[in-house]
Amino acid sequence: MKKIVLTGAAGRLGSYLREPLSKMCQEFVSSDIADSVKNLAANETYVKADITDLDAMVALLEGADMVVHFGAIGDEAPMDVLWGPNFYGAYTVWEAAYRNKLRRVVYASSIHAVGMHKKTDFIGIDAPHKPDTFYGLAKCFAEDLASLYWDKRGLESVCMRILSCAQPTNSRAVGTWLSYDDLIHLVERAITTPITGFSVVYGVSNNDRAPVDNAKAHHLGYRPKDNAEQFAAEIYASDGPLDPHDPANTHHGGPFAAVELGNSGLAHLNLGADDTGKD
Ligand SMILES: NC(=O)c1ccc[n+]([C@@H]2O[C@H](COP(=O)([O-])OP(=O)(O)OC[C@H]3O[C@@H](n4cnc5c(N)ncnc54)[C@H](O)[C@@H]3O)[C@@H](O)[C@H]2O)c1
């Protein structure tokens, strides 16, 4: 592949993706609103750009084959905070990809697009949208953009509904964990699968207690290897008994299903120290 562009490159997940992505193309462009990123690969350039600026996105994606779109606010927040980066910022990326005739958008969607489904429902990729927050609503919007641009403009996409890509430190993560290695494998499959059309896939490791079903995403060849069961006993012992009536425990969105709209969900997730940013 000639050129791949990564948005959100200075973020936590973007930092894990830069090196493997740089090996998949001749020219790799990292982009974020941050001033810089460290340790550029030999074929990597960094472009500071705001995803809410359509002209900047059109310039950024010039000559690219694919864009891996991870730039966004990664938590629930008031609508006026999310509207630019998470809603309009998705539009600018799909529109810029279309204008530059890219083949595909690989997108970091989220379980929060379907977070109000109950965990006891083993949901597949065709479960109806049921967002748990404005953040989840933005993921629904972007997935619908992906569907629209495929149907009307022939632009392919893979929407990866990531569950929890962080060190597993809480009971929910025993089901929802996506290891960094499996994330990289998933993104590689989203890029290298010859035909994806409009595809949706859950970004989750091979956990015994994974609460979602990827059977209808089999064509992507995503075969995760890691399993959070190795952490289960220790986590359950330290987390103590869980309230079976709390939506944070009973719904796919976890704490996002329980917070008031506009309030942080991540604040209730007890994320570990490695989650402060790799780069
Ligand atoms: N971490 C997870 O478990 C998880 C789960 C589901 C979905 N996701 C999605 O994955 C993506 C990356 O998540 P992360 O955990 O690395 O989050 P992060 O906050 O570490 O990274 C997001 C990056 O987007 C950049 N960004 C924000 N606004 C921007 C703007 N206006 N223009 C350009 N860049 C902007 C930020 O500077 C940041 O570097 C996000 O889209 C998030 O919604 C993550």
Side-chain angles (χ1 to χ4, degrees), residues 8-14 31-34 49-52 69-74 85-86 107-112 135 139 161-166:
R12 187 159 53 83
L13 303 193
S31 182
D32 200 288
I33 203 167
D50 187 333
I51 50 175
T52 66
H69 179 35
F70 272 60
I73 306 292
N86 292 29
Y107 176 58
S109 186
S110 165
I111 187 66
H112 299 295
Y135 169 79
K139 298 300 186 189
R161 285 185 190 155
I162 298 167
L163 278 77
S164 310
C165 195

PDB file of all heavy atoms in Angstrom, residues 8-14 31-34 49-52 69-74 85-86 107-112 135 139 161-166, ligand 1:
ATOM      1  N   GLY A   8      -5.752  10.876  15.254  1.00  0.00           N
ATOM      2  CA  GLY A   8      -5.671  10.500  16.673  1.00  0.00           C
ATOM      3  C   GLY A   8      -4.342   9.847  17.004  1.00  0.00           C
ATOM      4  O   GLY A   8      -4.231   9.088  17.976  1.00  0.00           O
ATOM      5  N   ALA A   9      -3.309  10.162  16.240  1.00  0.00           N
ATOM      6  CA  ALA A   9      -2.014   9.473  16.353  1.00  0.00           C
ATOM      7  C   ALA A   9      -1.310   9.742  17.677  1.00  0.00           C
ATOM      8  O   ALA A   9      -0.480   8.944  18.112  1.00  0.00           O
ATOM      9  CB  ALA A   9      -1.102   9.882  15.192  1.00  0.00           C
ATOM     10  N   ALA A  10      -1.627  10.868  18.323  1.00  0.00           N
ATOM     11  CA  ALA A  10      -0.981  11.166  19.606  1.00  0.00           C
ATOM     12  C   ALA A  10      -1.735  10.538  20.776  1.00  0.00           C
ATOM     13  O   ALA A  10      -1.295  10.628  21.922  1.00  0.00           O
ATOM     14  CB  ALA A  10      -0.899  12.681  19.801  1.00  0.00           C
ATOM     15  N   GLY A  11      -2.861   9.920  20.506  1.00  0.00           N
ATOM     16  CA  GLY A  11      -3.675   9.341  21.572  1.00  0.00           C
ATOM     17  C   GLY A  11      -3.143   8.003  22.031  1.00  0.00           C
ATOM     18  O   GLY A  11      -2.142   7.495  21.521  1.00  0.00           O
ATOM     19  N   ARG A  12      -3.825   7.428  23.003  1.00  0.00           N
ATOM     20  CA  ARG A  12      -3.355   6.174  23.597  1.00  0.00           C
ATOM     21  C   ARG A  12      -3.338   5.055  22.574  1.00  0.00           C
ATOM     22  O   ARG A  12      -2.323   4.406  22.365  1.00  0.00           O
ATOM     23  CB  ARG A  12      -4.247   5.796  24.785  1.00  0.00           C
ATOM     24  CG  ARG A  12      -3.740   4.602  25.560  1.00  0.00           C
ATOM     25  CD  ARG A  12      -4.306   4.587  26.951  1.00  0.00           C
ATOM     26  NE  ARG A  12      -5.736   4.686  26.949  1.00  0.00           N
ATOM     27  CZ  ARG A  12      -6.569   3.659  26.774  1.00  0.00           C
ATOM     28  NH1 ARG A  12      -6.078   2.450  26.554  1.00  0.00           N
ATOM     29  NH2 ARG A  12      -7.867   3.830  26.817  1.00  0.00           N
ATOM     30  N   LEU A  13      -4.451   4.830  21.896  1.00  0.00           N
ATOM     31  CA  LEU A  13      -4.488   3.730  20.933  1.00  0.00           C
ATOM     32  C   LEU A  13      -3.661   4.069  19.699  1.00  0.00           C
ATOM     33  O   LEU A  13      -2.966   3.217  19.153  1.00  0.00           O
ATOM     34  CB  LEU A  13      -5.932   3.400  20.546  1.00  0.00           C
ATOM     35  CG  LEU A  13      -6.871   3.045  21.710  1.00  0.00           C
ATOM     36  CD1 LEU A  13      -8.158   2.424  21.177  1.00  0.00           C
ATOM     37  CD2 LEU A  13      -6.216   2.122  22.713  1.00  0.00           C
ATOM     38  N   GLY A  14      -3.723   5.328  19.268  1.00  0.00           N
ATOM     39  CA  GLY A  14      -2.919   5.747  18.119  1.00  0.00           C
ATOM     40  C   GLY A  14      -1.443   5.481  18.361  1.00  0.00           C
ATOM     41  O   GLY A  14      -0.712   5.070  17.448  1.00  0.00           O
ATOM     42  N   SER A  31      -1.396  11.981  12.267  1.00  0.00           N
ATOM     43  CA  SER A  31      -1.976  13.304  12.449  1.00  0.00           C
ATOM     44  C   SER A  31      -2.753  13.367  13.755  1.00  0.00           C
ATOM     45  O   SER A  31      -3.305  12.368  14.225  1.00  0.00           O
ATOM     46  CB  SER A  31      -2.911  13.624  11.273  1.00  0.00           C
ATOM     47  OG  SER A  31      -3.444  14.923  11.424  1.00  0.00           O
ATOM     48  N   ASP A  32      -2.760  14.550  14.332  1.00  0.00           N
ATOM     49  CA  ASP A  32      -3.492  14.781  15.575  1.00  0.00           C
ATOM     50  C   ASP A  32      -3.559  16.301  15.746  1.00  0.00           C
ATOM     51  O   ASP A  32      -2.890  17.049  15.015  1.00  0.00           O
ATOM     52  CB  ASP A  32      -2.753  14.124  16.756  1.00  0.00           C
ATOM     53  CG  ASP A  32      -3.649  13.888  17.969  1.00  0.00           C
ATOM     54  OD1 ASP A  32      -4.012  14.880  18.646  1.00  0.00           O
ATOM     55  OD2 ASP A  32      -3.994  12.724  18.240  1.00  0.00           O
ATOM     56  N   ILE A  33      -4.314  16.739  16.747  1.00  0.00           N
ATOM     57  CA  ILE A  33      -4.337  18.167  17.055  1.00  0.00           C
ATOM     58  C   ILE A  33      -3.168  18.540  17.973  1.00  0.00           C
ATOM     59  O   ILE A  33      -2.866  19.716  18.164  1.00  0.00           O
ATOM     60  CB  ILE A  33      -5.694  18.560  17.674  1.00  0.00           C
ATOM     61  CG1 ILE A  33      -5.976  20.039  17.479  1.00  0.00           C
ATOM     62  CG2 ILE A  33      -5.791  18.125  19.133  1.00  0.00           C
ATOM     63  CD1 ILE A  33      -7.407  20.417  17.788  1.00  0.00           C
ATOM     64  N   ALA A  34      -2.503  17.532  18.527  1.00  0.00           N
ATOM     65  CA  ALA A  34      -1.327  17.776  19.380  1.00  0.00           C
ATOM     66  C   ALA A  34      -0.189  18.371  18.546  1.00  0.00           C
ATOM     67  O   ALA A  34      -0.148  18.204  17.327  1.00  0.00           O
ATOM     68  CB  ALA A  34      -0.862  16.464  20.013  1.00  0.00           C
ATOM     69  N   ALA A  49      -3.237  18.668  12.601  1.00  0.00           N
ATOM     70  CA  ALA A  49      -4.454  19.081  11.899  1.00  0.00           C
ATOM     71  C   ALA A  49      -5.657  18.826  12.794  1.00  0.00           C
ATOM     72  O   ALA A  49      -5.667  17.893  13.603  1.00  0.00           O
ATOM     73  CB  ALA A  49      -4.599  18.302  10.589  1.00  0.00           C
ATOM     74  N   ASP A  50      -6.652  19.678  12.616  1.00  0.00           N
ATOM     75  CA  ASP A  50      -7.884  19.585  13.407  1.00  0.00           C
ATOM     76  C   ASP A  50      -8.928  18.868  12.563  1.00  0.00           C
ATOM     77  O   ASP A  50      -9.242  19.306  11.447  1.00  0.00           O
ATOM     78  CB  ASP A  50      -8.338  21.013  13.756  1.00  0.00           C
ATOM     79  CG  ASP A  50      -9.511  21.027  14.722  1.00  0.00           C
ATOM     80  OD1 ASP A  50     -10.300  20.055  14.744  1.00  0.00           O
ATOM     81  OD2 ASP A  50      -9.639  22.025  15.453  1.00  0.00           O
ATOM     82  N   ILE A  51      -9.489  17.787  13.101  1.00  0.00           N
ATOM     83  CA  ILE A  51     -10.458  17.022  12.300  1.00  0.00           C
ATOM     84  C   ILE A  51     -11.769  17.779  12.075  1.00  0.00           C
ATOM     85  O   ILE A  51     -12.589  17.346  11.278  1.00  0.00           O
ATOM     86  CB  ILE A  51     -10.756  15.627  12.913  1.00  0.00           C
ATOM     87  CG1 ILE A  51     -11.101  15.735  14.391  1.00  0.00           C
ATOM     88  CG2 ILE A  51      -9.617  14.668  12.700  1.00  0.00           C
ATOM     89  CD1 ILE A  51     -11.509  14.419  15.020  1.00  0.00           C
ATOM     90  N   THR A  52     -11.941  18.902  12.740  1.00  0.00           N
ATOM     91  CA  THR A  52     -13.152  19.683  12.483  1.00  0.00           C
ATOM     92  C   THR A  52     -12.962  20.651  11.311  1.00  0.00           C
ATOM     93  O   THR A  52     -13.862  21.414  10.987  1.00  0.00           O
ATOM     94  CB  THR A  52     -13.585  20.481  13.739  1.00  0.00           C
ATOM     95  OG1 THR A  52     -12.588  21.464  14.020  1.00  0.00           O
ATOM     96  CG2 THR A  52     -13.765  19.571  14.928  1.00  0.00           C
ATOM     97  N   HIS A  69      -9.120   6.142  11.222  1.00  0.00           N
ATOM     98  CA  HIS A  69      -9.637   7.334  11.903  1.00  0.00           C
ATOM     99  C   HIS A  69      -9.878   7.049  13.391  1.00  0.00           C
ATOM    100  O   HIS A  69     -10.899   6.461  13.767  1.00  0.00           O
ATOM    101  CB  HIS A  69     -10.920   7.792  11.205  1.00  0.00           C
ATOM    102  CG  HIS A  69     -11.550   8.984  11.840  1.00  0.00           C
ATOM    103  ND1 HIS A  69     -10.816  10.008  12.406  1.00  0.00           N
ATOM    104  CD2 HIS A  69     -12.861   9.326  12.012  1.00  0.00           C
ATOM    105  CE1 HIS A  69     -11.646  10.917  12.896  1.00  0.00           C
ATOM    106  NE2 HIS A  69     -12.881  10.521  12.677  1.00  0.00           N
ATOM    107  N   PHE A  70      -8.939   7.511  14.227  1.00  0.00           N
ATOM    108  CA  PHE A  70      -9.031   7.321  15.680  1.00  0.00           C
ATOM    109  C   PHE A  70      -9.153   8.655  16.420  1.00  0.00           C
ATOM    110  O   PHE A  70      -9.267   8.676  17.634  1.00  0.00           O
ATOM    111  CB  PHE A  70      -7.800   6.552  16.201  1.00  0.00           C
ATOM    112  CG  PHE A  70      -7.971   5.057  16.153  1.00  0.00           C
ATOM    113  CD1 PHE A  70      -8.195   4.405  14.949  1.00  0.00           C
ATOM    114  CD2 PHE A  70      -7.921   4.289  17.311  1.00  0.00           C
ATOM    115  CE1 PHE A  70      -8.368   3.021  14.897  1.00  0.00           C
ATOM    116  CE2 PHE A  70      -8.092   2.911  17.272  1.00  0.00           C
ATOM    117  CZ  PHE A  70      -8.305   2.274  16.073  1.00  0.00           C
ATOM    118  N   GLY A  71      -9.101   9.771  15.728  1.00  0.00           N
ATOM    119  CA  GLY A  71      -9.170  11.072  16.390  1.00  0.00           C
ATOM    120  C   GLY A  71     -10.579  11.355  16.881  1.00  0.00           C
ATOM    121  O   GLY A  71     -11.536  11.244  16.117  1.00  0.00           O
ATOM    122  N   ALA A  72     -10.724  11.722  18.133  1.00  0.00           N
ATOM    123  CA  ALA A  72     -12.031  12.041  18.726  1.00  0.00           C
ATOM    124  C   ALA A  72     -11.826  12.380  20.191  1.00  0.00           C
ATOM    125  O   ALA A  72     -10.746  12.150  20.746  1.00  0.00           O
ATOM    126  CB  ALA A  72     -12.978  10.835  18.624  1.00  0.00           C
ATOM    127  N   ILE A  73     -12.867  12.918  20.820  1.00  0.00           N
ATOM    128  CA  ILE A  73     -12.911  12.968  22.284  1.00  0.00           C
ATOM    129  C   ILE A  73     -13.319  11.562  22.727  1.00  0.00           C
ATOM    130  O   ILE A  73     -14.358  11.049  22.278  1.00  0.00           O
ATOM    131  CB  ILE A  73     -13.951  13.993  22.783  1.00  0.00           C
ATOM    132  CG1 ILE A  73     -13.706  15.381  22.173  1.00  0.00           C
ATOM    133  CG2 ILE A  73     -14.001  14.029  24.310  1.00  0.00           C
ATOM    134  CD1 ILE A  73     -12.459  16.084  22.615  1.00  0.00           C
ATOM    135  N   GLY A  74     -12.534  10.936  23.596  1.00  0.00           N
ATOM    136  CA  GLY A  74     -12.732   9.524  23.921  1.00  0.00           C
ATOM    137  C   GLY A  74     -13.584   9.254  25.135  1.00  0.00           C
ATOM    138  O   GLY A  74     -13.433   8.209  25.775  1.00  0.00           O
ATOM    139  N   PRO A  85     -15.507  17.532  17.163  1.00  0.00           N
ATOM    140  CA  PRO A  85     -14.606  16.411  16.866  1.00  0.00           C
ATOM    141  C   PRO A  85     -15.329  15.095  16.559  1.00  0.00           C
ATOM    142  O   PRO A  85     -14.910  14.357  15.668  1.00  0.00           O
ATOM    143  CB  PRO A  85     -13.759  16.274  18.128  1.00  0.00           C
ATOM    144  CG  PRO A  85     -14.118  17.384  19.030  1.00  0.00           C
ATOM    145  CD  PRO A  85     -15.251  18.147  18.471  1.00  0.00           C
ATOM    146  N   ASN A  86     -16.376  14.774  17.298  1.00  0.00           N
ATOM    147  CA  ASN A  86     -16.923  13.412  17.187  1.00  0.00           C
ATOM    148  C   ASN A  86     -18.033  13.289  16.140  1.00  0.00           C
ATOM    149  O   ASN A  86     -18.174  12.227  15.532  1.00  0.00           O
ATOM    150  CB  ASN A  86     -17.437  12.935  18.548  1.00  0.00           C
ATOM    151  CG  ASN A  86     -16.310  12.712  19.549  1.00  0.00           C
ATOM    152  OD1 ASN A  86     -15.270  13.365  19.466  1.00  0.00           O
ATOM    153  ND2 ASN A  86     -16.491  11.804  20.476  1.00  0.00           N
ATOM    154  N   TYR A 107     -12.385   2.717  11.038  1.00  0.00           N
ATOM    155  CA  TYR A 107     -12.893   3.654  12.044  1.00  0.00           C
ATOM    156  C   TYR A 107     -12.970   3.045  13.446  1.00  0.00           C
ATOM    157  O   TYR A 107     -13.475   1.926  13.615  1.00  0.00           O
ATOM    158  CB  TYR A 107     -14.299   4.121  11.621  1.00  0.00           C
ATOM    159  CG  TYR A 107     -14.964   5.018  12.633  1.00  0.00           C
ATOM    160  CD1 TYR A 107     -14.359   6.205  13.036  1.00  0.00           C
ATOM    161  CD2 TYR A 107     -16.187   4.685  13.196  1.00  0.00           C
ATOM    162  CE1 TYR A 107     -14.953   7.023  13.975  1.00  0.00           C
ATOM    163  CE2 TYR A 107     -16.801   5.504  14.125  1.00  0.00           C
ATOM    164  CZ  TYR A 107     -16.165   6.674  14.517  1.00  0.00           C
ATOM    165  OH  TYR A 107     -16.749   7.478  15.454  1.00  0.00           O
ATOM    166  N   ALA A 108     -12.531   3.822  14.430  1.00  0.00           N
ATOM    167  CA  ALA A 108     -12.639   3.418  15.838  1.00  0.00           C
ATOM    168  C   ALA A 108     -14.027   3.756  16.351  1.00  0.00           C
ATOM    169  O   ALA A 108     -14.256   4.815  16.935  1.00  0.00           O
ATOM    170  CB  ALA A 108     -11.575   4.128  16.667  1.00  0.00           C
ATOM    171  N   SER A 109     -14.978   2.846  16.114  1.00  0.00           N
ATOM    172  CA  SER A 109     -16.297   2.997  16.723  1.00  0.00           C
ATOM    173  C   SER A 109     -16.228   2.447  18.145  1.00  0.00           C
ATOM    174  O   SER A 109     -15.124   2.246  18.684  1.00  0.00           O
ATOM    175  CB  SER A 109     -17.351   2.275  15.872  1.00  0.00           C
ATOM    176  OG  SER A 109     -18.649   2.542  16.385  1.00  0.00           O
ATOM    177  N   SER A 110     -17.363   2.201  18.740  1.00  0.00           N
ATOM    178  CA  SER A 110     -17.331   1.819  20.159  1.00  0.00           C
ATOM    179  C   SER A 110     -18.554   0.987  20.526  1.00  0.00           C
ATOM    180  O   SER A 110     -19.626   1.121  19.922  1.00  0.00           O
ATOM    181  CB  SER A 110     -17.302   3.099  21.005  1.00  0.00           C
ATOM    182  OG  SER A 110     -17.611   2.819  22.344  1.00  0.00           O
ATOM    183  N   ILE A 111     -18.383   0.193  21.555  1.00  0.00           N
ATOM    184  CA  ILE A 111     -19.506  -0.555  22.140  1.00  0.00           C
ATOM    185  C   ILE A 111     -20.617   0.406  22.590  1.00  0.00           C
ATOM    186  O   ILE A 111     -21.788   0.019  22.667  1.00  0.00           O
ATOM    187  CB  ILE A 111     -19.012  -1.407  23.348  1.00  0.00           C
ATOM    188  CG1 ILE A 111     -20.115  -2.333  23.898  1.00  0.00           C
ATOM    189  CG2 ILE A 111     -18.474  -0.521  24.468  1.00  0.00           C
ATOM    190  CD1 ILE A 111     -20.542  -3.415  22.973  1.00  0.00           C
ATOM    191  N   HIS A 112     -20.235   1.684  22.820  1.00  0.00           N
ATOM    192  CA  HIS A 112     -21.233   2.628  23.323  1.00  0.00           C
ATOM    193  C   HIS A 112     -22.273   3.019  22.266  1.00  0.00           C
ATOM    194  O   HIS A 112     -23.265   3.658  22.596  1.00  0.00           O
ATOM    195  CB  HIS A 112     -20.539   3.836  23.950  1.00  0.00           C
ATOM    196  CG  HIS A 112     -19.673   3.429  25.106  1.00  0.00           C
ATOM    197  ND1 HIS A 112     -20.192   2.892  26.260  1.00  0.00           N
ATOM    198  CD2 HIS A 112     -18.319   3.388  25.248  1.00  0.00           C
ATOM    199  CE1 HIS A 112     -19.197   2.562  27.086  1.00  0.00           C
ATOM    200  NE2 HIS A 112     -18.050   2.865  26.484  1.00  0.00           N
ATOM    201  N   TYR A 135     -21.664  10.502  23.458  1.00  0.00           N
ATOM    202  CA  TYR A 135     -20.462   9.877  22.874  1.00  0.00           C
ATOM    203  C   TYR A 135     -20.858   8.667  22.017  1.00  0.00           C
ATOM    204  O   TYR A 135     -20.401   8.513  20.879  1.00  0.00           O
ATOM    205  CB  TYR A 135     -19.516   9.468  24.016  1.00  0.00           C
ATOM    206  CG  TYR A 135     -18.362   8.598  23.610  1.00  0.00           C
ATOM    207  CD1 TYR A 135     -17.230   9.133  23.012  1.00  0.00           C
ATOM    208  CD2 TYR A 135     -18.400   7.217  23.836  1.00  0.00           C
ATOM    209  CE1 TYR A 135     -16.157   8.310  22.640  1.00  0.00           C
ATOM    210  CE2 TYR A 135     -17.335   6.401  23.474  1.00  0.00           C
ATOM    211  CZ  TYR A 135     -16.228   6.948  22.877  1.00  0.00           C
ATOM    212  OH  TYR A 135     -15.174   6.140  22.508  1.00  0.00           O
ATOM    213  N   LYS A 139     -20.889   7.782  17.739  1.00  0.00           N
ATOM    214  CA  LYS A 139     -20.406   6.555  17.077  1.00  0.00           C
ATOM    215  C   LYS A 139     -21.496   6.010  16.153  1.00  0.00           C
ATOM    216  O   LYS A 139     -21.203   5.528  15.054  1.00  0.00           O
ATOM    217  CB  LYS A 139     -19.990   5.512  18.111  1.00  0.00           C
ATOM    218  CG  LYS A 139     -18.841   5.942  19.026  1.00  0.00           C
ATOM    219  CD  LYS A 139     -17.566   6.254  18.262  1.00  0.00           C
ATOM    220  CE  LYS A 139     -16.375   6.532  19.162  1.00  0.00           C
ATOM    221  NZ  LYS A 139     -15.200   7.041  18.436  1.00  0.00           N
ATOM    222  N   ARG A 161     -16.128  -1.683  16.595  1.00  0.00           N
ATOM    223  CA  ARG A 161     -16.748  -1.286  17.867  1.00  0.00           C
ATOM    224  C   ARG A 161     -15.887  -1.802  19.009  1.00  0.00           C
ATOM    225  O   ARG A 161     -16.100  -2.895  19.541  1.00  0.00           O
ATOM    226  CB  ARG A 161     -18.148  -1.878  17.988  1.00  0.00           C
ATOM    227  CG  ARG A 161     -19.163  -1.191  17.125  1.00  0.00           C
ATOM    228  CD  ARG A 161     -20.546  -1.755  17.393  1.00  0.00           C
ATOM    229  NE  ARG A 161     -21.474  -1.253  16.406  1.00  0.00           N
ATOM    230  CZ  ARG A 161     -22.593  -1.873  16.057  1.00  0.00           C
ATOM    231  NH1 ARG A 161     -22.931  -3.026  16.624  1.00  0.00           N
ATOM    232  NH2 ARG A 161     -23.392  -1.348  15.154  1.00  0.00           N
ATOM    233  N   ILE A 162     -14.908  -0.979  19.385  1.00  0.00           N
ATOM    234  CA  ILE A 162     -13.967  -1.375  20.439  1.00  0.00           C
ATOM    235  C   ILE A 162     -14.704  -1.413  21.774  1.00  0.00           C
ATOM    236  O   ILE A 162     -15.511  -0.523  22.078  1.00  0.00           O
ATOM    237  CB  ILE A 162     -12.798  -0.372  20.471  1.00  0.00           C
ATOM    238  CG1 ILE A 162     -12.042  -0.408  19.131  1.00  0.00           C
ATOM    239  CG2 ILE A 162     -11.857  -0.664  21.635  1.00  0.00           C
ATOM    240  CD1 ILE A 162     -11.078   0.755  18.931  1.00  0.00           C
ATOM    241  N   LEU A 163     -14.412  -2.458  22.572  1.00  0.00           N
ATOM    242  CA  LEU A 163     -15.049  -2.544  23.895  1.00  0.00           C
ATOM    243  C   LEU A 163     -14.161  -1.816  24.917  1.00  0.00           C
ATOM    244  O   LEU A 163     -14.410  -0.657  25.196  1.00  0.00           O
ATOM    245  CB  LEU A 163     -15.340  -4.009  24.263  1.00  0.00           C
ATOM    246  CG  LEU A 163     -16.653  -4.541  23.634  1.00  0.00           C
ATOM    247  CD1 LEU A 163     -16.495  -4.861  22.159  1.00  0.00           C
ATOM    248  CD2 LEU A 163     -17.213  -5.743  24.381  1.00  0.00           C
ATOM    249  N   SER A 164     -13.107  -2.456  25.425  1.00  0.00           N
ATOM    250  CA  SER A 164     -12.218  -1.767  26.385  1.00  0.00           C
ATOM    251  C   SER A 164     -10.776  -2.081  26.062  1.00  0.00           C
ATOM    252  O   SER A 164     -10.284  -3.142  26.448  1.00  0.00           O
ATOM    253  CB  SER A 164     -12.458  -2.243  27.818  1.00  0.00           C
ATOM    254  OG  SER A 164     -13.806  -2.200  28.138  1.00  0.00           O
ATOM    255  N   CYS A 165     -10.113  -1.155  25.384  1.00  0.00           N
ATOM    256  CA  CYS A 165      -8.715  -1.381  25.059  1.00  0.00           C
ATOM    257  C   CYS A 165      -7.866  -0.676  26.112  1.00  0.00           C
ATOM    258  O   CYS A 165      -7.463   0.480  25.945  1.00  0.00           O
ATOM    259  CB  CYS A 165      -8.404  -0.880  23.653  1.00  0.00           C
ATOM    260  SG  CYS A 165      -6.838  -1.499  23.045  1.00  0.00           S
ATOM    261  N   ALA A 166      -7.653  -1.364  27.215  1.00  0.00           N
ATOM    262  CA  ALA A 166      -6.898  -0.848  28.352  1.00  0.00           C
ATOM    263  C   ALA A 166      -6.568  -2.047  29.223  1.00  0.00           C
ATOM    264  O   ALA A 166      -7.235  -3.082  29.114  1.00  0.00           O
ATOM    265  CB  ALA A 166      -7.746   0.150  29.144  1.00  0.00           C
TER     266      ALA A 166
HETATM  267  N1  LIG B   1      -9.670   3.228  24.442  1.00  0.00           N
HETATM  268  C1  LIG B   1     -10.743   2.468  24.278  1.00  0.00           C
HETATM  269  O1  LIG B   1     -10.932   1.463  24.961  1.00  0.00           O
HETATM  270  C2  LIG B   1     -11.744   2.835  23.208  1.00  0.00           C
HETATM  271  C3  LIG B   1     -12.944   2.128  23.171  1.00  0.00           C
HETATM  272  C4  LIG B   1     -13.853   2.420  22.161  1.00  0.00           C
HETATM  273  C5  LIG B   1     -13.546   3.371  21.203  1.00  0.00           C
HETATM  274  N2  LIG B   1     -12.383   4.061  21.285  1.00  0.00           N
HETATM  275  C6  LIG B   1     -12.115   5.095  20.282  1.00  0.00           C
HETATM  276  O2  LIG B   1     -10.780   4.969  19.830  1.00  0.00           O
HETATM  277  C7  LIG B   1     -10.278   6.257  19.472  1.00  0.00           C
HETATM  278  C8  LIG B   1      -8.961   6.497  20.209  1.00  0.00           C
HETATM  279  O3  LIG B   1      -9.185   6.341  21.604  1.00  0.00           O
HETATM  280  P1  LIG B   1      -8.022   6.601  22.674  1.00  0.00           P
HETATM  281  O4  LIG B   1      -8.367   5.790  23.868  1.00  0.00           O
HETATM  282  O5  LIG B   1      -6.705   6.454  22.035  1.00  0.00           O
HETATM  283  O6  LIG B   1      -8.328   8.132  23.022  1.00  0.00           O
HETATM  284  P2  LIG B   1      -7.303   9.352  23.192  1.00  0.00           P
HETATM  285  O7  LIG B   1      -8.080  10.459  23.809  1.00  0.00           O
HETATM  286  O8  LIG B   1      -6.065   8.900  23.879  1.00  0.00           O
HETATM  287  O9  LIG B   1      -6.949   9.721  21.683  1.00  0.00           O
HETATM  288  C9  LIG B   1      -7.778  10.509  20.871  1.00  0.00           C
HETATM  289  C10 LIG B   1      -6.907  11.483  20.099  1.00  0.00           C
HETATM  290  O10 LIG B   1      -7.774  12.286  19.287  1.00  0.00           O
HETATM  291  C11 LIG B   1      -7.211  13.587  19.251  1.00  0.00           C
HETATM  292  N3  LIG B   1      -8.204  14.617  18.936  1.00  0.00           N
HETATM  293  C12 LIG B   1      -9.226  15.046  19.726  1.00  0.00           C
HETATM  294  N4  LIG B   1      -9.859  16.082  19.141  1.00  0.00           N
HETATM  295  C13 LIG B   1      -9.229  16.294  17.942  1.00  0.00           C
HETATM  296  C14 LIG B   1      -9.396  17.236  16.903  1.00  0.00           C
HETATM  297  N5  LIG B   1     -10.374  18.174  16.949  1.00  0.00           N
HETATM  298  N6  LIG B   1      -8.588  17.165  15.835  1.00  0.00           N
HETATM  299  C15 LIG B   1      -7.609  16.233  15.772  1.00  0.00           C
HETATM  300  N7  LIG B   1      -7.380  15.325  16.744  1.00  0.00           N
HETATM  301  C16 LIG B   1      -8.180  15.359  17.820  1.00  0.00           C
HETATM  302  C17 LIG B   1      -6.672  13.805  20.663  1.00  0.00           C
HETATM  303  O11 LIG B   1      -5.688  14.829  20.685  1.00  0.00           O
HETATM  304  C18 LIG B   1      -6.125  12.433  21.021  1.00  0.00           C
HETATM  305  O12 LIG B   1      -4.731  12.328  20.769  1.00  0.00           O
HETATM  306  C19 LIG B   1     -11.377   7.258  19.810  1.00  0.00           C
HETATM  307  O13 LIG B   1     -12.136   7.515  18.654  1.00  0.00           O
HETATM  308  C20 LIG B   1     -12.222   6.503  20.820  1.00  0.00           C
HETATM  309  O14 LIG B   1     -13.563   6.961  20.810  1.00  0.00           O
HETATM  310  C21 LIG B   1     -11.471   3.812  22.260  1.00  0.00           C
END
